[in-house]
Amino acid sequence: MSDKTKPGNFFEDFEIGQELVHATPRTITEGEVALYTALYGGRFALQSADMAAQALGYPGAPVDDWLVFHIVFGKTVPDVSLNAVANLGYARGRFLAPVFPGDTLAAASKVIGLKENSNGKTGTVYVNSTGTNQAGETVLDYCRWVMIRKRDENAPAPAPVVPDLPARVDPGDLAIPDIEAAGYNAAWVGQPHRFGDYQAGERIDHADGVTIEEAEHMMATRLYQNTARVHFNQHTEGQGRFGRRLIYGGHIISLARSLSYNGLAPAMWIAAINGGAHTAPTFAGDTIYAWSEVLETADLPGPVGALRLRTVACKDHAAVDFPDKAEDGKRDPSVVLDLDYWALMVK
Amino acid sequence: MSDKTKPGNFFEDFEIGQELVHATPRTITEGEVALYTALYGGRFALQSADMAAQALGYPGAPVDDWLVFHIVFGKTVPDVSLNAVANLGYARGRFLAPVFPGDTLAAASKVIGLKENSNGKTGTVYVNSTGTNQAGETVLDYCRWVMIRKRDENAPAPAPVVPDLPARVDPGDLAIPDIEAAGYNAAWVGQPHRFGDYQAGERIDHADGVTIEEAEHMMATRLYQNTARVHFNQHTEGQGRFGRRLIYGGHIISLARSLSYNGLAPAMWIAAINGGAHTAPTFAGDTIYAWSEVLETADLPGPVGALRLRTVACKDHAAVDFPDKAEDGKRDPSVVLDLDYWALMVK
Amino acid sequence: MSDKTKPGNFFEDFEIGQELVHATPRTITEGEVALYTALYGGRFALQSADMAAQALGYPGAPVDDWLVFHIVFGKTVPDVSLNAVANLGYARGRFLAPVFPGDTLAAASKVIGLKENSNGKTGTVYVNSTGTNQAGETVLDYCRWVMIRKRDENAPAPAPVVPDLPARVDPGDLAIPDIEAAGYNAAWVGQPHRFGDYQAGERIDHADGVTIEEAEHMMATRLYQNTARVHFNQHTEGQGRFGRRLIYGGHIISLARSLSYNGLAPAMWIAAINGGAHTAPTFAGDTIYAWSEVLETADLPGPVGALRLRTVACKDHAAVDFPDKAEDGKRDPSVVLDLDYWALMVK
């Protein structure tokens, strides 16, 4: 093989403290924003209309937070997870500054944990990834861990390091947008409720379901310049574990977020990712529904408060009965995503 | 169910004179325009090239009229037609001002008619909907009527009100673009004919056929932020009347419009919608053809004239024989759209 | 049939020296660029990030060269190849000036060769096509030849004229970008190699494979306003030679180019097309792989050198064994594209 082709890193290629500068910075334009709308149909007013954003003091509509996440995440794939068996978890993710069309994002990651699995074939790699804009400001900072294949099963195991990651981001650490709350327009937002109208324990069925097509999830994943092979190659995946192309987990996050507009329309900002699990694979033809639970509310100084939300996506099962843990403690088999995050809402 | 989830309005939720301010204004950008091209392949010079638009006195290429229509229409869906059984008709639609990338559209509707059906299960709701830009100018004004389910079959019927809607918009009421006709370039337009070359009664076969995929119509419908469930959810539609996802009728309008370039390339402006019927459902896999008939011509003051056109779309049937009414007065079963509108053309 | 519908030109409609001004100029925006990313997932730094382009002295990221090619090519289709049986070849193609979002391209072609086939039913038409921007600068100039049906098999054959086209563009004729090489950032590019690291004879497997969906190739081909019927109409193609819609050959070029990032990331400019053949048809469901061979290297004055590359795309066959000519001199049946071009790379 030519030395020019990159095969991706294997478990033994990582070491604690290693810094990975990911390739291909990316300018996010109005083109990406429109495609994101076509792929998920989001209706949050702040991201949909310059007019609504400007009324709150923004120069124009910021880019959807999850689009920012996917673009940064995509950059990490060739170096971090090209040889991944599974994307295991997220923690301590914070959205730190808004991104606007025209901004260029670059990504880097630091290896913060390593633990070989007992089978000697794979190991878990923990990375702290950041996305920065053209001015050098960090716009996103998050941790994730993935199970990676070893190139050589006989390679020695590194000393295990498992980082101490918090169960949730402390609400005092959230980046709070500096908005002019007087410009908040509930008619544009599409729902009259405000921060004080949501209580911990409340569950919301987001009602609608959306069926996924192969062309959609592949266009989305390419839009993010995410090159993970399992999403694109039916010729090999047809011979693989599922016989199908696997859908990028982030596609489900964005579908669930978009569905959550119905009931969470005022939750226009994602401030942090506390944790998340892609609990089952999804495939073209699956219909995704979602429901959310308010886990916690946190009043903050200034015009917005924070809701800690758990959004659960399920497939081929309407969320009206909130599929979740079954009586035996196992998850309902329809559940494909369990995401814990902080969103902000005007008081 | 949480009080946060919106179930959409049912027939008894509407009353005459009611004003509905629809949620989520939307900024239309060059991203939406590019997607619209990718979805339909339009080739009308005015909307395709800044250069062609500027030669006519525009600041740049305006947004396709039907894209404007779909965005405004999409906003009305959650309030007007989420529980619709059928979209019955359109009337008195006028495009009143051009829309450019960067403009933000908001939508509102007024209930102008109500009539319960004799079965007591559904009723017809007539609305007059408007789209306005960020400066408050009305860019589109149209009426449509839909059959809506009742929530409670025992709810009393309202006094029937059926608005008096004209069979066609009077050509004197059309908004006429103020163009510099000297900048008209027939080579760019792609067809030498002008207003005077078209006669009432003339029929034009638009020749090509285009097969629709699920990913395409769903991406289009989401681009319009149209949330009607029947377009997206195979899990429920698979159990429904057709066993399939129904395609948004506006998708067929845009496909037919795009096909109509071949024969109507100089008809670069849609000025009014006189009426229209989605005469049969369409599904992924259908191949759409179209033909048009010149119903009427109207000379106007200034450099453009108006053609009243009827464009008929049919599925899995080439339009070469102009499928239409059969001998028994019924429609040819291939016909899926029958649209009556005014287009403008340089003299 | 109405005289308004254009049926496309047949072989006997062409004559040597004929100039065809193609319809519908097109403004390429950030919307087209984003869609191109979603369709192919390109990761070349120059086209992906304003920041990377500006560091090299550009005002912002230029539009991908192949997107420029497809847009210009698409404009030629209604006049040149609507009645084509096959797209036979390309030669002497040069990219002469960068295109930026906001530029408007127009296209024209000159007939430079004609040769009727011995069967009397078809003939080969050679055209020299050019794309020009709104300032009148030529941005692309290339020759192609297509086999076109005759309208009337009894029409007399024209005197055969076969243009003398070079096997390759002379490297001295390449348009060389005037860049500030000091701004070249290998970390952003994603690969450390430079012009001097590539040698003639070197073969590079681009590793990944991508499966194509109907919605993707149709959206791409419409984005290019390419109206060739075989790509869109399952109703007629289902009855045709293959029973399927044929994929536009340029879609495969762009997929192969995008895959070639893995191994050719520094080859950020396409300077010329020496030749190319679509050696087998492709259909939705095919998985495309690619490999490249360095045919020749040419040092140039200034900071970049030229690599003459041959990129071969194959379907349902990983490129790891470089499928090409078989022992009997025939092509491996998996090969679908054989493209010969000059790319530029920083020294």
Side-chain angles (χ1 to χ4, degrees):
Chain A
M1 189 197 269
S2 161
D3 66 334
K4 307 296 192 308
T5 310
K6 281 191 173 181
N9 289 314
F10 290 86
F11 181 67
E12 57 266 52
D13 297 324
F14 294 95
E15 54 185 275
I16 295 292
Q18 188 180 2
E19 309 241 12
L20 302 156
V21 177
H22 306 302
T24 316
R26 170 75 168 282
T27 303
I28 302 184
T29 72
E30 292 172 343
E32 275 77 21
V33 171
L35 262 162
Y36 195 80
T37 303
L39 289 164
Y40 306 109
R43 291 181 285 150
F44 293 94
L46 175 65
Q47 287 80 16
S48 181
D50 286 341
M51 188 163 77
Q54 287 160 355
L56 294 172
Y58 288 86
V63 172
D64 189 282
D65 299 303
W66 287 111
L67 174 52
V68 170
F69 177 84
H70 298 323
I71 296 267
V72 172
F73 183 101
K75 311 231 139 301
T76 71
V77 167
D79 298 318
V80 173
S81 52
L82 207 61
N83 299 306
V85 181
N87 194 31
L88 297 172
Y90 308 98
R92 212 178 61 197
R94 291 190 304 150
F95 293 90
L96 296 167
V99 173
F100 297 99
D103 285 352
T104 299
L105 301 187
S109 298
K110 185 173 180 175
V111 179
I112 58 169
L114 286 175
K115 186 170 184 304
E116 184 164 309
N117 287 325
S118 54
N119 64 13
K121 297 181 180 174
T122 56
T124 300
V125 179
Y126 298 76
V127 294
N128 177 23
S129 300
T130 52
T132 52
N133 65 19
Q134 69 281 3
E137 290 174 289
T138 302
V139 300
L140 172 65
D141 185 312
Y142 70 98
C143 299
R144 74 161 165 141
W145 50 107
V146 287
M147 193 190 302
I148 309 278
R149 282 190 199 89
K150 292 179 74 176
R151 182 186 289 106
D152 173 6
E153 296 187 10
N154 296 317
V161 176
V162 175
D164 185 26
L165 294 167
R168 84 195 213 311
V169 173
D170 189 278
D173 291 336
L174 301 176
I176 306 175
D178 179 28
I179 62 160
E180 296 165 19
Y184 185 81
N185 183 324
W188 288 348
V189 168
Q191 198 182 322
H193 309 93
R194 295 188 174 215
F195 174 67
D197 296 317
Y198 289 82
Q199 276 80 40
E202 184 172 356
R203 291 180 158 201
I204 303 165
D205 167 17
H206 301 307
D208 291 326
V210 177
T211 306
I212 307 172
E213 300 296 319
E214 298 280 14
E216 292 167 356
H217 77 82
M218 293 201 298
M219 288 184 70
T221 309
R222 278 190 295 251
L223 184 69
Y224 313 141
Q225 296 175 309
N226 177 332
T227 60
R229 294 161 183 154
V230 292
H231 310 316
F232 297 110
N233 187 327
Q234 183 60 31
H235 182 236
T236 54
E237 295 309 309
Q239 310 299 319
R241 189 159 40 138
F242 301 110
R244 316 277 307 271
R245 280 163 277 179
L246 265 170
I247 293 174
Y248 164 50
H251 193 66
I252 307 302
I253 292 177
S254 287
L255 278 176
R257 168 68 177 161
S258 178
L259 291 169
S260 79
Y261 172 84
N262 193 348
L264 289 170
M268 301 195 297
W269 299 265
I270 304 290
I273 303 165
N274 296 314
H278 303 288
T279 56
T282 56
F283 306 100
D286 289 348
T287 299
I288 303 298
Y289 296 86
W291 62 272
S292 296
E293 178 176 3
V294 181
L295 294 178
E296 193 179 344
T297 66
D299 202 355
L300 298 172
V304 302
L307 295 184
R308 185 177 166 201
L309 297 166
R310 184 177 160 234
T311 291
V312 174
C314 39
K315 67 178 180 184
D316 298 337
H317 183 130
V320 64
D321 60 352
F322 306 107
D324 194 2
K325 304 278 196 295
E327 288 197 8
D328 58 2
K330 289 185 184 164
R331 243 181 254 277
D332 186 291
S334 73
V335 173
V336 296
L337 171 74
D338 193 338
L339 188 71
D340 179 339
Y341 58 103
W342 286 105
L344 304 180
M345 207 177 264
V346 166
K347 294 180 197 172
Chain B
M1 189 196 266
S2 161
D3 66 335
K4 308 296 194 307
T5 309
K6 281 191 174 181
N9 289 314
F10 290 85
F11 181 67
E12 57 265 53
D13 298 324
F14 295 95
E15 54 185 274
I16 295 293
Q18 186 180 5
E19 309 241 12
L20 302 156
V21 177
H22 306 301
T24 317
R26 170 75 168 281
T27 303
I28 301 183
T29 73
E30 293 173 342
E32 274 77 21
V33 171
L35 262 161
Y36 196 80
T37 302
L39 289 163
Y40 306 109
R43 290 181 286 150
F44 293 93
L46 175 64
Q47 287 81 16
S48 180
D50 285 341
M51 189 163 78
Q54 288 160 355
L56 294 171
Y58 289 86
V63 172
D64 190 281
D65 298 305
W66 287 111
L67 174 53
V68 171
F69 177 83
H70 299 321
I71 296 268
V72 172
F73 183 101
K75 310 230 139 301
T76 72
V77 167
D79 298 317
V80 173
S81 51
L82 206 61
N83 299 305
V85 180
N87 194 32
L88 297 171
Y90 307 99
R92 211 179 61 199
R94 291 190 305 150
F95 293 90
L96 296 167
V99 174
F100 298 98
D103 284 353
T104 299
L105 301 187
S109 297
K110 186 173 180 175
V111 179
I112 58 169
L114 286 175
K115 184 170 187 301
E116 183 164 309
N117 286 325
S118 54
N119 63 13
K121 297 180 180 176
T122 57
T124 300
V125 177
Y126 298 76
V127 294
N128 177 24
S129 300
T130 51
T132 52
N133 65 19
Q134 69 280 2
E137 290 174 289
T138 302
V139 300
L140 171 64
D141 185 313
Y142 69 99
C143 299
R144 75 162 166 140
W145 50 105
V146 287
M147 193 191 302
I148 309 276
R149 282 190 199 91
K150 292 179 72 176
R151 182 186 290 106
D152 172 6
E153 295 187 12
N154 296 317
V161 175
V162 175
D164 186 25
L165 294 168
R168 83 194 213 314
V169 173
D170 189 278
D173 291 336
L174 302 177
I176 305 174
D178 178 28
I179 62 160
E180 297 164 19
Y184 185 82
N185 183 324
W188 289 347
V189 167
Q191 197 183 322
H193 309 93
R194 295 187 175 217
F195 174 66
D197 297 317
Y198 289 82
Q199 276 79 41
E202 183 170 357
R203 289 180 160 203
I204 303 164
D205 168 18
H206 301 307
D208 292 325
V210 177
T211 306
I212 307 172
E213 300 296 320
E214 299 279 15
E216 292 167 357
H217 77 82
M218 292 201 298
M219 287 184 70
T221 309
R222 276 190 296 251
L223 184 69
Y224 312 141
Q225 296 174 310
N226 177 332
T227 59
R229 293 160 183 156
V230 291
H231 309 316
F232 297 110
N233 188 327
Q234 183 59 33
H235 182 236
T236 54
E237 295 309 310
Q239 310 299 319
R241 190 162 38 141
F242 300 110
R244 314 277 309 270
R245 280 163 278 179
L246 264 170
I247 293 174
Y248 164 50
H251 193 66
I252 307 302
I253 291 177
S254 287
L255 278 176
R257 168 67 177 160
S258 178
L259 290 169
S260 79
Y261 172 83
N262 194 349
L264 288 170
M268 301 195 297
W269 299 265
I270 304 291
I273 304 165
N274 296 313
H278 303 288
T279 57
T282 56
F283 306 100
D286 289 349
T287 299
I288 303 298
Y289 296 85
W291 62 271
S292 296
E293 179 174 4
V294 180
L295 294 177
E296 192 178 346
T297 65
D299 202 356
L300 299 172
V304 302
L307 295 185
R308 185 178 167 201
L309 297 167
R310 184 178 160 232
T311 291
V312 174
C314 40
K315 67 178 180 184
D316 298 338
H317 183 129
V320 64
D321 61 350
F322 307 105
D324 195 4
K325 304 278 195 298
E327 288 197 8
D328 58 2
K330 290 186 184 164
R331 243 180 254 278
D332 186 290
S334 72
V335 173
V336 296
L337 171 74
D338 194 338
L339 189 70
D340 179 339
Y341 58 103
W342 286 105
L344 305 180
M345 208 177 264
V346 167
K347 293 181 198 171
Chain C
M1 188 197 271
S2 161
D3 67 335
K4 307 294 193 309
T5 310
K6 282 190 173 183
N9 289 314
F10 290 85
F11 182 68
E12 57 265 52
D13 297 324
F14 294 95
E15 54 184 275
I16 296 292
Q18 187 180 3
E19 309 240 12
L20 302 156
V21 177
H22 306 302
T24 316
R26 170 76 168 281
T27 303
I28 302 183
T29 72
E30 293 172 342
E32 275 77 21
V33 171
L35 262 162
Y36 195 80
T37 302
L39 289 163
Y40 306 110
R43 291 181 285 151
F44 293 94
L46 175 64
Q47 287 80 17
S48 180
D50 285 342
M51 188 163 77
Q54 287 160 355
L56 294 171
Y58 288 86
V63 172
D64 190 282
D65 298 304
W66 286 112
L67 173 53
V68 170
F69 177 84
H70 299 323
I71 296 267
V72 172
F73 183 100
K75 311 231 139 300
T76 72
V77 166
D79 299 317
V80 173
S81 51
L82 207 61
N83 299 305
V85 179
N87 193 31
L88 297 171
Y90 308 98
R92 212 178 61 199
R94 291 189 305 150
F95 292 90
L96 296 167
V99 173
F100 297 99
D103 284 353
T104 299
L105 301 187
S109 298
K110 186 172 181 176
V111 179
I112 58 169
L114 286 175
K115 185 170 186 303
E116 183 164 311
N117 287 324
S118 54
N119 64 12
K121 297 180 179 173
T122 57
T124 300
V125 178
Y126 298 77
V127 294
N128 177 23
S129 300
T130 52
T132 52
N133 65 20
Q134 69 281 3
E137 291 174 289
T138 302
V139 299
L140 172 65
D141 184 313
Y142 70 98
C143 299
R144 74 161 165 140
W145 50 108
V146 287
M147 193 190 302
I148 309 277
R149 282 190 199 89
K150 292 179 72 175
R151 182 185 289 106
D152 172 6
E153 296 187 12
N154 296 318
V161 175
V162 176
D164 186 24
L165 293 169
R168 82 192 213 315
V169 174
D170 189 279
D173 291 337
L174 302 177
I176 305 175
D178 179 27
I179 61 159
E180 296 165 19
Y184 185 81
N185 183 325
W188 287 349
V189 168
Q191 197 182 323
H193 309 93
R194 294 187 175 216
F195 174 65
D197 297 317
Y198 289 82
Q199 276 80 40
E202 184 171 356
R203 290 179 160 203
I204 302 164
D205 167 19
H206 301 309
D208 291 326
V210 177
T211 306
I212 308 172
E213 300 296 320
E214 299 281 13
E216 292 167 356
H217 78 82
M218 292 202 298
M219 286 183 70
T221 308
R222 278 190 295 250
L223 184 69
Y224 312 140
Q225 296 174 310
N226 177 331
T227 59
R229 293 161 183 154
V230 291
H231 309 315
F232 297 109
N233 187 327
Q234 183 60 32
H235 182 236
T236 55
E237 295 309 310
Q239 311 298 320
R241 190 159 39 139
F242 301 109
R244 315 277 307 271
R245 280 163 278 179
L246 264 170
I247 293 174
Y248 164 50
H251 193 67
I252 307 302
I253 292 177
S254 286
L255 277 177
R257 168 67 177 161
S258 179
L259 290 169
S260 80
Y261 172 84
N262 194 349
L264 289 169
M268 301 194 297
W269 299 265
I270 304 291
I273 304 165
N274 296 313
H278 303 288
T279 57
T282 56
F283 305 100
D286 289 349
T287 299
I288 301 299
Y289 295 85
W291 61 271
S292 295
E293 178 174 5
V294 180
L295 294 177
E296 192 179 343
T297 65
D299 202 356
L300 298 173
V304 302
L307 295 184
R308 185 178 166 202
L309 296 166
R310 182 177 162 235
T311 291
V312 175
C314 39
K315 67 178 179 184
D316 297 338
H317 182 129
V320 64
D321 61 350
F322 306 107
D324 194 4
K325 304 277 196 296
E327 288 196 9
D328 58 2
K330 288 186 185 165
R331 243 181 255 276
D332 186 291
S334 73
V335 174
V336 296
L337 171 74
D338 194 338
L339 188 71
D340 179 340
Y341 59 103
W342 286 105
L344 306 179
M345 207 177 266
V346 167
K347 295 181 196 170

